[in-house]
Amino acid sequence: MRGPSGSNFGVYSFVLYILVIWMQIPVQVNCSVNGGSNCAACTLIVSLAEQLSEIHNDTVIEGLDRLCKFLPDPYQQPCKDFMMTTAPIIQQMIFDDVFTPDACCHALGYCYADPGRQECHLYPKPKMGIRSVITRSFPDPMALKIRRQKVQNLNIDICDLLPGIKSLCNMIEKKLDTHMPIADQDEDRFSTIQTLRGTHFRGRDCDDVQKSIYPGRKPVDGDKTEDSNCNGITGVDKKTGNSYEELFCSNATNYGVGILGDSAAAHFHLPRAWFSAVEISLQSLEAVPMIVADEIDWPHLSAVTGYKNSSLLAPWWTDSVYLRLRDVNHCNHRDYQNIGVNGADSGSMNDSIQYTLARNPKKDQPLLLFYSLIGNDVCNGHADTIKDMTLPEDMRKRFRSTLQYLDTQLPKGSHVFATGLADGRVLFDTLKDKIHPIGDWRQDITYPDIYNYLNCLESSPCSGWMTTNETLRNFTSERAANLSKVVQEEAKLFKPTNFDVHYMDYNIQRLIQMWTSTGGKAADIIEPVDGFHPSQVANFLLAEYYWEEMNKLVPGLFRKNPHNAEIKKLFGDQGGY
């Protein structure tokens, strides 16, 4: 019996929200074993329910009910349906004194052992083994099969349930696959809504009817009558008869900023409260719909394109290349694009992602563009992870091809800054003795426990670095260094027409030094839930690091606009975001 499979828009999949959000699903699902991410999702949810029952002196079923009540209203009933359907199996195992989250999820059918594979477990394994425990509680295989089938039947797609929404679901799924804004009436690749690849990822379109109006373009007729570049500066100065764009922006350093990258570029982040029985609450899950609509990414708080702070990522602030660029010249308002995609590597970047960048070489302002793929070319969840790492010759070919494409798209005077890959050994070295949020209550689950569990399921986002195998960690970093060297060489060799190319290291150790020198801890640099991505603190520091490197690589790149105060006086926040 195999566990229920998920759907991108299924109510049931949302109830198993960890399945959707924990590890960049569905990228890892198809290559997993032993139940893969379905198994991990079930184990974590049952574990949270069990811990909540201990904290509040409830039963496990009551703990699961409490967890359901933390979800936003539209998703509570499907969660309760899941609870009522799984309750008989959970109660039977508790009655027989053989309950563990791992054994429970094996009994439910989410976890299993593929032929020739060992049983995966996050918690200590029962002495008699998981299979024997299940046989003891459910001696009748047919009765257990019927119960499992009831669980599987819960997999209902919301797109099939709600009248008239099927076509909308299909449109959203298609659009998300192309990494374009969902709400974009004039199809200029800019939107008026925040989520679904909207203004959190790209500057806000100030006119979603006219395709000729969007952030980053050169002003049309000085923007005397309409704000063609959406920077909030329009109109004519009565004293001089000149447009404000001409007066304030024509002699300034006008640049947009963008990034072609992966989940780190998009700032993938899971709130730790979602995974800690000590911290989880109704308030911590209020923003789930928005977060899921942003693909669990926070580009509006990221190192390159961030522009606002968020209490959900407290206790640190947002700094970014965009904010610094806007501070230098207010005319650059809203001119940012974050083309960061979860799971992106040099192959997917070259095949499709790069084509979603919006820049017209004739009509638009120059762009400061980052190319930053820091891990997925060496990261995968396969048992034979080395086999699926990108080879240096493939990295060279793909990066060169991307640069060739960009030379047809970027306006003259643009600059491309390519980063190397990270040295991910810092993950294990920093977190090896730390407790993962799922272990907060009992102080019993460490990051190496999580690594071993996900590797057993072949569902790790990076089995080459997230492993207790030091030899494999060193090999992965060696391959990453070789790929970085290729990027550095190509950046030096490639001679484009419309831009210059510069290389900079993705220097995590530098960020750690910057942070620990202020009294911080090295672990603060890493996302606490996935133990893989740069945290909000890291993004804050990365903005400063990038800015310093850009100034070294291109001296005199940034010149303060002397009219900033006048712009602020006349146009305030320039329409905001």
Side-chain angles (χ1 to χ4, degrees):
M1 174 81 181
R2 294 298 181 251
S5 59
S7 167
N8 284 339
F9 301 98
V11 172
Y12 182 67
S13 295
F14 187 87
V15 174
L16 288 177
Y17 62 91
I18 301 173
L19 170 64
V20 182
I21 64 182
W22 197 26
M23 295 173 304
Q24 304 172 42
I25 306 300
V27 174
Q28 306 292 350
V29 172
N30 294 331
C31 62
S32 58
V33 299
N34 294 349
S37 297
N38 281 328
C39 177
C42 177
T43 301
L44 288 168
I45 290 173
V46 173
S47 176
L48 282 173
E50 182 189 26
Q51 293 177 57
L52 285 170
S53 73
E54 294 177 2
I55 292 171
H56 299 282
N57 197 26
D58 291 334
T59 66
V60 174
I61 301 302
E62 288 171 328
L64 189 55
D65 181 58
R66 185 181 296 273
L67 186 60
C68 290
K69 290 177 180 177
F70 288 153
L71 292 170
D73 287 341
Y75 307 103
Q76 289 191 16
Q77 189 56 51
C79 184
K80 291 181 179 180
D81 292 343
F82 169 77
M83 176 190 70
M84 297 303 297
T85 305
T86 58
I89 292 178
I90 295 174
Q91 289 172 329
Q92 183 63 49
M93 299 191 77
I94 293 173
F95 178 80
D96 291 338
D97 197 26
V98 294
F99 175 87
T100 70
D102 296 306
C104 177
C105 291
H106 275 78
L108 290 170
Y110 290 102
C111 304
Y112 44 85
D114 280 316
R117 303 275 183 173
Q118 62 176 325
E119 293 174 335
C120 302
H121 60 96
L122 181 59
Y123 293 89
K125 202 172 183 179
K127 291 182 179 179
M128 67 177 68
I130 293 176
R131 187 169 299 178
S132 297
V133 161
I134 294 173
T135 301
R136 174 179 165 182
S137 286
F138 308 100
D140 184 350
M142 185 55 65
L144 179 60
K145 183 177 181 179
I146 291 172
R147 288 184 176 182
R148 285 175 170 172
Q149 187 62 48
K150 290 181 179 179
V151 176
Q152 185 175 16
N153 289 342
L154 286 172
N155 189 28
I156 302 172
D157 193 335
I158 191 173
C159 296
D160 293 325
L161 285 179
L162 301 183
I165 202 172
K166 186 70 175 180
S167 60
L168 177 61
C169 288
N170 291 337
M171 183 270 288
I172 291 175
E173 186 170 12
K174 182 178 179 181
K175 281 274 192 176
L176 287 179
D177 285 343
T178 63
H179 317 299
M180 296 288 199
I182 299 298
D184 180 17
Q185 187 174 344
D186 57 13
E187 297 186 340
D188 60 5
R189 304 188 183 186
F190 294 91
S191 181
T192 57
I193 69 169
Q194 292 182 332
T195 59
L196 298 171
R197 289 275 158 178
T199 63
H200 284 169
F201 288 83
R202 307 172 189 238
R204 182 162 68 89
D205 195 345
C206 52
D207 188 330
D208 205 25
V209 177
Q210 298 189 63
K211 193 172 184 177
S212 60
I213 296 177
Y214 54 85
R217 75 160 301 157
K218 295 175 182 177
V220 177
D221 192 27
D223 281 2
K224 294 177 181 177
T225 58
E226 62 181 359
D227 188 11
S228 64
N229 57 14
C230 298
N231 68 357
I233 301 172
T234 188
V236 176
D237 176 51
K238 294 180 180 179
K239 291 182 180 180
T240 65
N242 294 323
S243 73
Y244 289 116
E245 273 280 355
E246 293 171 330
L247 288 173
F248 298 155
C249 303
S250 60
N251 294 317
T253 306
N254 296 308
Y255 286 113
V257 64
I259 186 166
L260 296 172
D262 48 26
S263 52
H267 192 1
F268 185 89
H269 163 77
L270 292 161
R272 76 169 273 129
W274 292 6
F275 292 78
S276 170
V278 177
E279 298 180 23
I280 195 168
S281 65
L282 179 64
Q283 290 72 30
S284 70
L285 289 165
E286 280 180 341
V288 163
M290 179 201 77
I291 295 170
V292 172
D294 268 341
E295 304 168 40
I296 328 299
D297 295 328
W298 303 68
H300 49 304
L301 281 69
S302 67
V304 174
T305 63
Y307 61 86
K308 64 183 295 185
N309 293 313
S310 170
S311 60
L312 293 173
L313 286 185
W316 213 247
W317 302 280
T318 297
D319 188 13
S320 71
V321 174
Y322 164 73
L323 284 177
R324 289 170 177 245
L325 190 64
R326 187 193 181 281
D327 184 60
V328 167
N329 178 15
H330 290 355
C331 299
N332 296 324
H333 183 63
R334 289 188 188 160
D335 194 358
Y336 60 89
Q337 297 182 56
N338 191 307
I339 317 296
V341 176
N342 297 344
D345 61 10
S346 61
S348 58
M349 180 61 66
N350 186 237
D351 290 342
S352 60
I353 298 170
Q354 65 191 27
Y355 301 109
T356 67
L357 181 71
R359 215 63 176 183
N360 186 300
K362 301 295 185 183
K363 297 179 180 180
D364 297 347
Q365 301 284 9
L367 188 66
L368 306 178
L369 181 65
F370 284 80
Y371 175 96
S372 185
L373 299 168
I374 70 169
N376 291 320
D377 282 280
V378 296
C379 286
N380 59 76
H382 303 161
D384 187 5
T385 182
I386 295 174
K387 180 181 177 182
D388 291 295
M389 293 180 183
T390 298
L391 296 171
E393 53 266 34
D394 291 328
M395 189 76 176
R396 185 183 303 278
K397 180 175 62 176
R398 294 166 181 173
F399 180 47
R400 183 186 302 156
S401 178
T402 294
L403 291 176
Q404 289 170 341
Y405 170 73
L406 291 175
D407 205 23
T408 68
Q409 300 297 307
L410 297 184
K412 283 187 178 297
S414 297
H415 303 273
V416 171
F417 300 93
T419 78
L421 280 72
D423 183 349
R425 286 176 295 192
V426 68
L427 303 175
F428 184 86
D429 292 344
T430 304
L431 301 175
K432 61 186 176 184
D433 58 351
K434 301 292 190 299
I435 298 295
H436 187 274
I438 195 68
D440 276 353
W441 171 240
R442 301 182 187 126
Q443 295 291 292
D444 57 345
I445 301 296
T446 64
Y447 284 90
D449 292 331
I450 295 289
Y451 295 166
N452 291 334
Y453 180 58
L454 296 181
N455 285 330
C456 180
L457 295 171
E458 293 191 21
S459 293
S460 171
C462 192
S463 56
W465 277 324
M466 299 170 72
T467 175
T468 56
N469 185 332
E470 182 179 9
T471 301
L472 181 55
R473 296 198 305 270
N474 289 338
F475 181 92
T476 304
S477 285
E478 181 180 347
R479 175 61 62 84
N482 290 336
L483 298 182
S484 296
K485 184 179 179 181
V486 165
V487 173
Q488 185 176 21
E489 290 172 351
E490 282 301 307
K492 185 176 181 180
L493 291 171
F494 190 75
K495 303 300 180 185
T497 301
N498 291 332
F499 58 88
D500 50 23
V501 192
H502 305 276
Y503 172 85
M504 63 176 75
D505 290 324
Y506 194 91
N507 195 338
I508 297 180
Q509 289 300 331
R510 170 65 178 141
L511 303 184
I512 291 177
Q513 291 168 5
M514 292 166 67
W515 183 240
T516 55
S517 67
T518 67
K521 299 178 181 178
D524 297 336
I525 298 297
I526 305 169
E527 278 290 331
V529 172
D530 60 45
F532 182 57
H533 290 91
S535 68
Q536 180 62 20
V537 169
N539 274 267
F540 180 88
L541 298 171
L542 195 58
E544 180 179 350
Y545 169 74
Y546 279 158
W547 192 258
E548 290 175 353
E549 291 299 304
M550 294 168 76
N551 277 285
K552 291 177 185 176
L553 293 167
V554 189
L557 180 60
F558 307 114
R559 290 181 287 110
K560 192 83 170 181
N561 187 342
H563 300 291
N564 282 343
E566 296 169 84
I567 294 172
K568 186 173 183 179
K569 182 178 180 180
L570 283 173
F571 301 103
D573 68 356
Q574 297 170 248
Y577 295 96

